[in-house]
């Protein structure tokens, strides 16, 4: 699986000669930024390229320059992908990364999710948030998720936002940081919009070059007073930042008709990513489709927290722009996007009482291109096509749980698990190789995380 010894030697010689011959060194350096993934099953999810039962993907300087059954590219290092499915990385569209070290704290002696997290969030520190983001990003890579939407809804002060953003940028993952509100905020209190404006000016000016963009997570019509959500929406539009909000999550919230209220005031649109909509009515779902407002569902946590079952048939009938998410590790337990796809497909079949009601291929599209479109990144990532950035994963098709298999869609939605993600590349940079992280000391990260949550648990007395 690794680049051949000959290619490694070529790369090594570039370092040695770099002082002696600048022109040649430049050529060698660029060769190091170039490679061909070869001999895998290519699931491009691009409508023109389609699937290649055996194909190559040529990458140069972080971009895809060719996808074809066979690519010659003399002198370019080749990485053998036989026994693997080469595909676009997964895109998660709603992840409260700040509480990832609180895995399993969804129910404590204080009671269910809201009470337990309320107590923990009161003692939370910027260091705990940053560590959680690092843990989440590491797990994302483990699972083949290359783009994340960090839904930061425990910004108690600006240093919390700074700590999360810095950890997210350092991860090398693509994604959005959505600046949110503290857990303890009152329903009549505006979030820290000055903080958003300052962060936009300081970190996201014209020269900003990171893979992370900025957004706002607002509470929306069913979680705060009208003057507040209107103010937060207006600020997002004034700052030209995308907005995200939970909507119609439980039955009571569904009864508040938040989607129709937003539509009536002209506040839906492609820049508005709504989350859950578990109790949205069919007419509300049609409004999302008409206004091209994307939706993120997280079926595992919607089941676990007791919101209910996502109305997948109605969502599909209405043609809502769909995407998938893991939501949080407190309830979901893990960031297994394969598991999210599986439960999505199987809930749809179970509710419709019809096998295959939601095809495995459609679910794969929601987990890749659908997510990219939802975050406004559809021109950059979400499929393997010439000109797109190289966010690519390879999944083993020769593992005990993936072989033999009739077709690749079923392999990915029902057979594969995060451990089968053999290779992860984000913007041309390798993050996982031969099934192992290349940029993270995982045991050290886990030790720090365990230590931190142990201390916070004592402080919160839960
Ligand atoms: Zn959420």
């Amino acid at each position: 699986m690794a680049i051949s010894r000959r290619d490694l030697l070529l790369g090594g010689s570039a370092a040695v000669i770099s002082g002696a011959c600048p022109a040649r060194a430049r050529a060698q350096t660029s060769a190091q930024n170039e490679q061909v993934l070869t001999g895998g099953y290519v699931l491009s999810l691009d409508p023109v390229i389609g699937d290649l039962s055996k194909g190559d993907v040529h990458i140069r300087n972080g971009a895809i320059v060719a996808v074809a059954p066979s690519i010659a590219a003399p002198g370019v290092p080749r990485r053998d992908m036989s026994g693997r499915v080469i595909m676009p990385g997964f895109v998660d569209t709603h992840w409260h990364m700040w509480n990832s070290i609180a895995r399993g704290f969804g129910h404590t002696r204080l009671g269910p999710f809201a009470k337990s997290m309320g107590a923990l969030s009161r003692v939370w520190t910027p260091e705990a948030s940053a560590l959680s983001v690092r843990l989440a990003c590491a797990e994302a890579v483990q699972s083949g998720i290359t783009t994340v939407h960090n839904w930061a809804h425990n910004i108690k002060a600006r240093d919390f936002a700074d700590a999360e953003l810095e950890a997210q940028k350092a991860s090398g993952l693509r994604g959005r940081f959505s600046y949110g509100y503290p857990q303890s905020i009152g329903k009549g209190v505006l979030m820290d919009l000055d903080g958003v404006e300052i962060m936009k000016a300081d970190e996201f000016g014209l020269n900003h070059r990171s893979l992370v963009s900025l957004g706002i997570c607002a509470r929306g019509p069913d979680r705060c007073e009208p003057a507040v959500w209107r103010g937060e929406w207006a600020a997002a539009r004034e700052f030209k930042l995308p907005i995200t909000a939970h909507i119609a999550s439980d039955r009571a919230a569904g009864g508040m008709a938040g989607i129709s209220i937003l539509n009536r005031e002209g506040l839906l649109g492609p820049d508005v990513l709504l989350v859950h909509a578990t109790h949205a009515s069919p007419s509300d779902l049609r409004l999302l489709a008409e206004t091209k407002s994307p939706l993120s569902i997280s079926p595992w946590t919607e089941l676990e927290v007791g919101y209910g079952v996502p109305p997948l048939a109605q969502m599909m009938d209405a043609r809502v722009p769909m995407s998938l998410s893991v939501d949080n590790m407190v309830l979901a337990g893990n960031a297994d996007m394969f598991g999210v796809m599986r439960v999505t497909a199987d809930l749809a079949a179970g509710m419709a009482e019809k096998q295959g009601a939601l095809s495995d291929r459609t679910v794969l599209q929601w987990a890749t291109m659908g997510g990219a479109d939802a975050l406004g990144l559809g021109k950059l990532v979400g499929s393997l096509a010439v000109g797109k950035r190289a966010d690519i994963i390879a999944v083993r098709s020769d593992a005990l749980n993936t072989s033999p298999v009739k077709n690749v869609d079923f392999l990915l939605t029902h057979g594969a698990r995060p451990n089968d993600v053999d290779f992860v590349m984000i913007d041309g940079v390798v993050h996982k190789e031969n099934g192992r992280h290349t940029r993270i000391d995982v045991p050290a990260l886990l030790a720090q995380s365990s230590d931190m949550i142990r201390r916070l648990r004592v402080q919160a007395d839960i």
Side-chain angles (χ1 to χ4, degrees):
M1 263 315 290
I3 289 179
S4 71
R5 180 178 295 271
R6 178 180 162 273
D7 298 324
L8 281 173
L9 287 172
L10 277 175
S13 66
V16 174
I17 61 158
S18 61
C21 179
R24 191 172 166 205
R26 268 199 302 280
Q28 296 272 5
T29 305
S30 117
Q32 283 180 299
N33 291 333
E34 187 170 1
Q35 59 183 290
V36 176
L37 309 181
T38 185
Y41 183 105
V42 178
L43 179 82
S44 74
L45 294 170
D46 175 81
V48 177
I49 296 169
D51 287 23
L52 307 174
S53 58
K54 193 171 182 191
D56 298 349
V57 180
H58 187 174
I59 299 132
R60 185 187 300 133
N61 295 329
I64 297 170
V65 294
V67 182
S70 177
I71 297 171
V76 176
R78 302 179 79 81
R79 193 182 288 267
D80 179 14
M81 287 289 167
S82 53
R84 280 123 185 108
V85 178
I86 306 172
M87 63 176 290
F90 296 122
V91 179
D92 180 279
T93 53
H94 155 238
W95 191 342
H96 306 291
M97 295 186 141
W98 68 268
N99 57 21
S100 295
I101 61 172
R103 199 190 306 270
F105 280 74
H107 204 285
T108 66
R109 69 172 190 83
L110 298 179
F113 184 71
K115 288 193 168 159
S116 300
M117 288 317 296
L120 268 179
S121 69
R122 278 194 284 281
V123 299
W124 216 255
T125 62
E127 293 73 25
S129 290
L131 191 53
S132 283
V133 170
R134 286 172 55 206
L135 182 66
C137 289
E139 203 181 342
V141 169
Q142 177 71 7
S143 183
I145 296 169
T146 52
T147 298
V148 292
H149 181 197
N150 182 9
W151 227 98
H153 71 345
N154 191 34
I155 304 294
K156 298 199 289 182
R158 265 167 232 171
D159 50 350
F160 282 78
D162 292 341
E164 286 204 44
L165 178 65
E166 193 179 326
Q168 190 176 344
K169 281 183 171 177
S171 75
L173 272 73
R174 193 180 305 282
R176 181 187 297 172
F177 171 77
S178 279
Y179 195 120
Y181 45 90
Q183 286 282 293
S184 59
I185 195 169
K187 289 187 173 185
V189 180
L190 272 173
M191 64 182 283
D192 176 21
L193 295 167
D194 289 344
V196 178
E197 196 169 16
I198 291 167
M199 178 174 270
K200 182 169 185 259
D202 288 355
E203 305 283 346
F204 296 92
L206 286 176
N207 296 324
H208 123 88
R209 293 176 64 84
S210 92
L211 299 182
V212 181
S213 62
L214 181 64
I216 287 184
C217 41
R219 282 159 289 168
D222 57 41
R223 295 197 179 187
C224 63
E225 292 175 5
V228 172
W229 63 258
R230 285 195 183 108
E232 293 174 354
W233 232 263
R237 291 266 162 94
E238 181 194 332
F239 301 157
K240 296 189 167 41
L241 292 175
I243 317 159
T244 184
H246 297 109
I247 202 90
S249 306
D250 58 18
R251 199 166 292 281
M256 297 165 80
I259 292 174
S260 9
I261 292 171
L262 287 172
N263 181 63
R264 207 160 49 232
E265 302 197 14
L267 297 179
L268 293 174
D271 61 335
V272 178
L273 171 55
L274 296 176
V275 178
H276 299 311
T278 316
H279 293 273
S281 68
S283 61
D284 282 350
L285 294 171
R286 281 195 294 277
L287 292 175
L288 295 185
E290 284 166 18
T291 56
K292 299 186 169 55
S293 309
L295 179 63
S296 175
I297 58 167
S298 56
W300 281 128
T301 60
E302 288 155 7
L303 292 170
E304 284 146 1
V305 81
Y307 286 163
V309 181
L312 289 156
Q314 291 94 320
M315 289 167 175
M316 286 187 291
D317 287 349
R319 298 180 181 273
V320 175
M322 296 294 293
S323 68
L324 300 178
S325 58
V326 298
D327 191 348
N328 65 76
M329 295 306 100
V330 179
L331 289 166
N334 64 35
D336 175 2
M337 189 56 91
F338 301 99
V340 173
M341 292 193 293
R342 179 182 189 169
V343 73
T344 303
D346 293 352
L347 280 176
M351 285 190 291
E353 299 180 25
K354 183 183 173 201
Q355 187 180 3
L358 173 56
S359 76
D360 293 338
R361 179 57 65 106
T362 300
V363 177
L364 274 165
Q365 281 164 338
W366 291 2
T368 52
M369 204 57 227
D373 282 334
L375 294 175
L377 297 170
K379 287 192 165 61
L380 279 185
V381 292
S383 62
L384 304 183
V386 173
K388 285 204 168 183
R389 300 305 294 170
D391 289 10
I392 302 172
I393 65 173
V395 183
R396 293 195 73 115
S397 55
D398 57 359
L400 195 58
N401 53 304
T402 59
S403 177
V405 72
K406 178 171 166 289
N407 70 56
V408 78
D409 295 4
F410 184 85
L411 180 160
L412 292 164
T413 56
H414 287 77
R417 292 289 169 265
N419 284 351
D420 302 311
V421 177
D422 187 67
F423 174 81
V424 175
M425 170 180 276
I426 304 172
D427 211 51
V429 175
V430 175
H431 285 247
K432 195 179 185 189
E433 190 172 36
N434 302 321
R436 305 182 80 87
H437 278 275
T438 57
R439 294 161 50 101
I440 297 169
D441 182 344
V442 175
L445 177 59
L446 297 181
Q448 280 179 280
S449 302
S450 300
D451 185 51
M452 179 72 80
I453 191 62
R454 198 179 301 123
R455 282 189 281 134
L456 291 169
R457 180 183 197 174
V458 170
Q459 282 177 40
D461 192 24
I462 59 174

